[in-house]
Amino acid sequence: MGLTKTEIFTEEQNALAIALKAMAHPARIAILQQIIKANACICGDLVDELGLAQATISQHLKELKNAGIIQGTIEGVSVCYCINPEVWSALQKQLSGFFNTYNLKPNCC
Amino acid sequence: MGLTKTEIFTEEQNALAIALKAMAHPARIAILQQIIKANACICGDLVDELGLAQATISQHLKELKNAGIIQGTIEGVSVCYCINPEVWSALQKQLSGFFNTYNLKPNCC
DNA sequence: TATATCGATTGCAATATTACGATTAATATT
DNA sequence: AATATTAATCGTAATATTGCAATCGATATA
C-alpha cells in the first residue's frame, strides 16, 4: 500500500492531480512567484531569496521541471529558469474549467 | 527532517499550498467531480462509484473537509457531502490571481 | 594547469501519505 | 430488544516527501 491507484482514474484526473501536486508546496509556490516576479529568469538567486539549502531548492526545481511547469537552460556556470508558457496556460485553462463546472448553487446541505 | 518549514513562508503561500495539496490526488478530484455532477449531495455512493474501500474514501472526504472545500451533514444513517461555495469561489479567485500574475511573455530561456 | 563557483546528485533521517481490514458508534429496521 | 446499515476511526504496512550535508561534474577564472 501507500501507493496511489492511478489505474482506476481517468487520464485527466491523474494529470491534474500531478500538476496540482507539483505546486502544492509553499517553497514551490514561492519559487514560481519569484520566477514570475523577476520576469527575466533567475537561478541560484532562489537559494538566497528563500531560506532553504541549495540541495533542497534544486530538488524543488527538479519537481517543477518534471511537471513541465518550468524550464531551465544552462547559462555559463549558472542555470536560468523560467515559466513554460504553454504548460502554464494549459494548466490555467484546465483548472478554470474544473472550477467552473460548479455553478454556485444554494447550499444543499 | 521530512517536515515542511512553514515558518519561512507567507500565510498566503502556506494557505494556497494546503488547498492545492487537498486537491492533489486523483481520488479527491474524482470525489469533487462526483459531488458537483450529482448536483444534489451524495454520500456512500462515492464508495460504489470509485473503486476504493470505504475507509479510504472516508479518509479522502476528511481531508477535503479539513481543507474546508466540502461540508457534510448527517442525514439519518448516511452523510451528505457538498461543495462549500464560499471556500470554492475564494480558492477559484486566489488561483486565477496567481496564474494571472504571469503574462505570457516570449520565452526568456 | 590549478582553483573557484554553480548546481545536480547521492545518501540519509524524519515525517507524511495512501490504502485497507477490522472495529466502533450511531441510527434504522425488523 | 436484535439486527442491519452507514460512515468514522484505529492500526498497520508500503511508499513518498521534505530537508540537508557531502560529494560530483562542469564551466569559468586566475
Side-chain angles (χ1 to χ4, degrees), chain B residues 1-5 43-44 54-55 58-59 62 77-79 81:
Chain B
M1 317 271 123
L3 187 66
T4 300
K5 284 188 157 180
C43 51
Q54 183 268 320
S58 186
Q59 217 170 241
K62 191 182 175 187
V77 195
S78 47
V79 175
Y81 285 100

Side-chain angles (χ1 to χ4, degrees), chain A residues 42-92:
Chain A
I42 43 168
C43 51
D45 302 334
L46 290 164
V47 180
D48 304 325
E49 286 288 339
L50 318 179
L52 288 171
Q54 183 267 320
T56 309
I57 298 285
S58 185
Q59 219 170 241
H60 284 305
L61 286 169
K62 191 183 176 185
E63 277 184 70
L64 288 170
K65 206 163 52 172
N66 283 345
I69 299 172
I70 62 171
Q71 52 197 189
T73 39
I74 298 162
E75 205 139 284
V77 194
S78 47
V79 174
C80 169
Y81 285 101
C82 64
I83 300 291
N84 181 324
E86 288 82 19
V87 175
W88 188 263
S89 65
L91 185 52
Q92 188 170 26

Side-chain angles (χ1 to χ4, degrees), chain A residues 3-15 17, chain B residues 25-31 33 46 49-52 56-57 60:
Chain A
L3 186 66
T4 300
K5 284 188 159 179
T6 53
E7 69 276 8
I8 68 171
F9 303 108
T10 67
E11 280 296 322
E12 288 75 26
Q13 288 166 341
N14 286 316
Chain B
H25 192 286
R28 294 197 286 273
I29 289 174
I31 287 172
Q33 288 176 331
L46 290 164
E49 286 288 340
L50 318 180
L52 289 171
T56 309
I57 298 285
H60 284 306

